[in-house]
Amino acid sequence: MTHRRYDIDWIRVIAIGLLIVYHSAIGFQPWGMMIGFITTQKPWPSLWLPMTMLNIWRIPLLFFVSGMGVYFAMQSRSWKLLLLERSRRILVPFVFGIFCIVPIHVMIWSAYHKMPLGYVPNAGHLWFLGNIFIYTLVFTPMFYWIRRNDSGAVVTALRRWMGSPWAILLVMLALVAEVMIVQPRPYELYAMTPHGFFLGLIAFFFGFCFVLGGDAFWSLIVRRRWLLLAGAVLAFGIRSYELSVSAPVMPFQLPVESVLWILSVFAFGHRYLNKPSRVLSYLSQAAYPVYMLHM
């Protein structure tokens, strides 16, 4: 029996909340108009500092959480039922949003900027759902093979590896390799880009593996939570200094910093948020429809 992980529910809610806060903050940045946001006439430059801290890990965090969600969903479903459930929960809202939600957003944006109105089906901010559904299709055979061979040598070795400090290094190396191969410009541009797709693919897989690692993985990061947080703050401080003096940020810095922030969130969440709450019950139900409509 798999017990409910309230900390992961909380992190999912918090991540979607941060997404909405971040998108609201774009309204105070002059470049927001170019990506479909209604922006103020007077920018708020100082708001960019916390935005730069968030924008390298807020979306990857959701990909990790989505991989974790598949692990838990598998425990009570066959692969056919999983794909049917994910089709209903992800694919149907995604297609509906392309034709019935995002076009309304585009019309409002066009009207505000006094541009010609038109019906434009588009994935828009819902691109994330399309990626998640593809990842589910790609990884379902592998994940169910892992479940069938739970006591086998390969899965036992993988579970043992995920409970060791090497797991943290492995995640960092995988995301650094993605950056070196894809060479995104900028790193923070995830929506409908090869970078966003492959980064999400890696994060989705490791999210599944984090839960597969069991108590050993979660104990590992909880014990090191302050060290992970200190590393994330230090990495952000170095990046902020480099940006302030126009020094180049090395390609490996951003994925490493991103992993440190994400593992810090998971560690502190597991330590302090793994308990039921009426507020959580409400927010868990509200998060998805709010995400669909928030733009």
Side-chain angles (χ1 to χ4, degrees), residues 202-263:
I202 294 168
F204 187 89
F205 172 75
F206 278 110
F208 178 92
C209 291
F210 287 170
V211 185
L212 179 69
D215 292 341
F217 171 78
W218 297 96
S219 296
L220 168 73
I221 61 172
V222 168
R223 289 196 308 269
R224 291 166 172 79
R225 63 188 184 278
W226 291 107
L227 181 61
L228 291 167
L229 181 59
V233 172
L234 177 61
F236 176 60
I238 293 172
R239 177 162 61 100
S240 299
Y241 172 76
E242 291 171 336
L243 292 173
S244 69
V245 298
S246 300
V249 177
M250 300 302 292
F252 67 85
Q253 288 180 247
L254 297 178
V256 169
E257 181 188 335
S258 175
V259 171
L260 290 170
W261 283 117
I262 289 167
L263 291 180

Side-chain angles (χ1 to χ4, degrees), residues 159-181:
R159 187 177 286 113
R160 186 184 305 116
W161 183 273
M162 294 310 300
S164 75
W166 294 106
I168 297 174
L169 179 61
L170 181 61
V171 177
M172 289 180 176
L173 288 176
L175 293 181
V176 168
E178 185 274 325
V179 168
M180 301 300 289
I181 294 170

Side-chain angles (χ1 to χ4, degrees), residues 71 74-75 141-163 205 208-214:
Y71 179 93
M74 285 173 50
Q75 307 312 304
M142 179 190 297
F143 289 167
Y144 275 91
W145 179 88
I146 289 174
R147 192 178 79 166
R148 288 195 305 271
N149 296 273
D150 186 68
S151 301
V154 173
V155 179
T156 299
L158 178 59
R159 187 177 286 113
R160 186 184 305 116
W161 183 273
M162 294 310 300
F205 172 75
F208 178 92
C209 291
F210 287 170
V211 185
L212 179 69

Side-chain angles (χ1 to χ4, degrees), residues 50-255:
M51 290 175 71
T52 58
M53 184 271 287
L54 285 173
N55 62 11
I56 67 165
W57 60 268
R58 58 185 182 84
I59 294 297
L61 176 66
L62 280 169
F63 283 124
F64 279 100
V65 170
S66 298
M68 294 176 180
V70 168
Y71 179 93
F72 293 116
M74 285 173 50
Q75 307 312 304
S76 58
R77 295 171 177 86
S78 67
W79 68 268
K80 292 180 181 179
L81 287 177
L82 176 75
L83 293 181
L84 179 61
E85 186 266 345
R86 284 305 190 250
S87 296
R88 290 172 175 169
R89 182 170 174 78
I90 298 176
L91 183 60
V92 171
F94 176 59
V95 173
F96 176 80
I98 288 175
F99 292 100
C100 300
I101 295 177
V102 176
I104 297 175
H105 164 220
V106 174
M107 287 182 184
I108 294 172
W109 178 83
S110 299
Y112 179 84
H113 292 291
K114 297 180 172 57
M115 297 178 178
L117 300 183
Y119 175 72
V120 184
N122 194 309
H125 67 287
L126 304 179
W127 66 273
F128 178 87
L129 298 180
N131 282 28
I132 291 298
F133 188 73
I134 292 173
Y135 303 154
T136 302
L137 294 179
V138 168
F139 283 118
T140 289
M142 179 190 297
F143 289 167
Y144 275 91
W145 179 88
I146 289 174
R147 192 178 79 166
R148 288 195 305 271
N149 296 273
D150 186 68
S151 301
V154 173
V155 179
T156 299
L158 178 59
R159 187 177 286 113
R160 186 184 305 116
W161 183 273
M162 294 310 300
S164 75
W166 294 106
I168 297 174
L169 179 61
L170 181 61
V171 177
M172 289 180 176
L173 288 176
L175 293 181
V176 168
E178 185 274 325
V179 168
M180 301 300 289
I181 294 170
V182 178
Q183 298 183 358
R185 296 289 187 275
Y187 182 87
E188 303 86 352
L189 185 58
Y190 310 110
M192 293 176 282
T193 65
H195 168 56
F197 180 84
F198 289 112
L199 182 151
L201 188 77
I202 294 168
F204 187 89
F205 172 75
F206 278 110
F208 178 92
C209 291
F210 287 170
V211 185
L212 179 69
D215 292 341
F217 171 78
W218 297 96
S219 296
L220 168 73
I221 61 172
V222 168
R223 289 196 308 269
R224 291 166 172 79
R225 63 188 184 278
W226 291 107
L227 181 61
L228 291 167
L229 181 59
V233 172
L234 177 61
F236 176 60
I238 293 172
R239 177 162 61 100
S240 299
Y241 172 76
E242 291 171 336
L243 292 173
S244 69
V245 298
S246 300
V249 177
M250 300 302 292
F252 67 85
Q253 288 180 247
L254 297 178

